[in-house]
Amino acid sequence: MHTRTVFYISDGTGITAETFGNAILAQFEFKPRHVRLPFIDSVDKAHQVVRQVNHTAEIEGRKPIVFTTLVNAEILQVIENGCKGMLLDMFGTFVRPLEIELAIKSNHRIGRFSDVSKSKEYHDRIEAINFSLAHDDGQSNRDLEQADVILVGVSRSGKTPTSLYLAMQYGLKAANYPLIPEDFERQQLPTALVPHRKKIFGLTIQPERLAEIRNERRPNSRYAALENCRMEVGEAEAMMRRAGIRWLSTTTKSIEEIATTILQEIRPERLEY
């Protein structure tokens, strides 16, 4: 059962409001109900939001928490004047003091994605996503010289979600290759990866956790057996040590933590935000 309703209100996608709000709320031990209200780009919509927030306050008997990233002053004023929630205006908190300090008026652009489709950075990001999808799970050896990073590790150690996160969040071209029994028998990295050793980063995982994950995919198989998982993880880690590859365990880490560590180690020249 949730203990408080939290609204995320924006005249754009609401991604900034939700990301920032969630980061703050993570500091508190309670379970909120999330209500996302993007594209609030007119006074009429703002009045509808006020009615929704106030109705929630009346039903629950406590103030909803309201995070906003509204750029339009007229729309924001409707929320400020009528909302019976605890209002946290993120742009008002950060943008306006910066305008004073920098003596520069902000461009008051609605949303990070308002004109993004016309930008080179956006097209580079799409290209990175396409590259990462084409080079997922060792599907292709082509154009590896274009990769910003190449992830290696046993199957189901977190390579694919990390690759896609690096592409979507940072615009990095991330390939990933599974280390398989044939590689362990040869005791060598896949041949196609050897010329790109400096770009390689390894992911490993505790065998017990790996067995759990694989059992969800292929229950009661040799692939998911704990003994096999121990063998594969041990061989993969030994191979990465021999090859001098940087690596980390994904067992208790989020995708964001994994990606941040990779960026610190690989330090690609090109980063997109």
Side-chain angles (χ1 to χ4, degrees):
M1 189 71 180
H2 71 272
T3 57
R4 189 71 68 97
T5 295
V6 179
F7 287 88
Y8 302 95
I9 303 170
S10 175
D11 35 22
T13 63
I15 291 174
T16 300
E18 190 166 5
T19 301
F20 193 83
N22 285 342
I24 293 173
L25 294 178
Q27 307 301 315
F28 302 91
E29 291 292 334
F30 80 113
K31 187 176 181 181
R33 178 174 75 99
H34 296 258
V35 179
R36 302 167 184 84
L37 299 174
F39 308 118
I40 306 303
D41 52 7
S42 70
V43 168
D44 182 59
K45 289 181 181 179
H47 283 295
Q48 293 177 37
V49 165
V50 168
R51 287 194 290 270
Q52 185 173 347
V53 171
N54 293 351
H55 180 66
T56 299
E58 183 178 346
I59 290 176
E60 296 183 349
R62 59 181 66 190
K63 287 184 177 181
I65 299 168
V66 182
F67 290 100
T68 75
T69 51
L70 293 165
V71 171
N72 184 290
E74 187 179 6
I75 294 172
L76 177 60
Q77 188 173 25
V78 171
I79 306 292
E80 289 177 333
N81 291 343
C83 173
K84 294 181 180 178
M86 178 187 178
L87 186 62
L88 298 169
D89 173 19
M90 285 181 248
F91 280 4
T93 301
F94 297 105
V95 174
R96 291 183 191 116
L98 277 171
E99 287 180 333
I100 295 170
E101 178 63 29
L102 298 173
I104 300 173
K105 190 72 174 174
S106 70
N107 59 26
H108 283 218
R109 185 177 61 165
I110 296 176
R112 150 185 189 192
F113 305 109
S114 58
D115 57 359
V116 73
S117 62
K118 300 176 183 177
S119 71
K120 179 180 181 298
E121 290 78 10
Y122 177 79
H123 290 288
D124 287 346
R125 191 186 306 272
I126 296 300
E127 186 179 338
I129 294 169
N130 288 333
F131 181 93
S132 297
L133 289 171
H135 293 79
D136 180 45
D137 211 28
Q139 292 182 71
S140 173
N141 297 334
R142 295 180 58 189
D143 305 320
L144 281 179
E145 67 279 359
Q146 295 182 20
D148 293 298
V149 60
I150 302 170
L151 303 181
V152 299
V154 298
S155 173
R156 314 304 290 179
S157 58
K159 300 183 303 300
T160 294
T162 302
S163 295
L164 290 175
Y165 181 83
L166 288 168
M168 295 175 70
Q169 184 70 15
Y170 298 104
L172 296 179
K173 293 181 177 179
N176 74 79
Y177 272 72
L179 297 177
I180 58 177
E182 287 80 356
D183 299 318
F184 304 145
E185 290 174 9
R186 294 185 295 105
Q187 295 191 335
Q188 292 181 346
L189 290 169
T191 305
L193 303 187
V194 174
H196 311 288
R197 190 188 303 267
K198 290 183 179 179
K199 298 179 179 180
I200 298 176
F201 193 93
L203 301 183
T204 189
I205 187 171
Q206 288 181 357
E208 293 77 10
R209 178 58 183 147
L210 181 61
E212 290 177 7
I213 295 171
R214 289 184 173 184
N215 265 301
E216 294 174 3
R217 186 180 179 90
R218 297 184 198 168
N220 303 315
S221 63
R222 171 168 172 72
Y223 168 77
L226 180 56
E227 181 181 356
N228 181 62
C229 291
R230 284 173 174 158
M231 181 278 293
E232 288 193 26
V233 169
E235 290 287 347
E237 291 181 0
M239 179 181 293
M240 289 187 278
R241 288 192 197 95
R242 287 194 301 270
I245 293 172
R246 296 156 289 185
W247 53 281
L248 64 80
S249 173
T250 64
T251 308
T252 60
K253 289 183 170 56
S254 67
I255 297 300
E256 292 84 355
E257 289 174 309
I258 296 167
T260 299
T261 302
I262 291 169
L263 293 176
Q264 287 180 314
E265 292 289 335
I266 298 294
R267 296 185 181 278
E269 295 179 2
R270 180 175 54 83
L271 278 179
E272 306 289 352
Y273 290 93

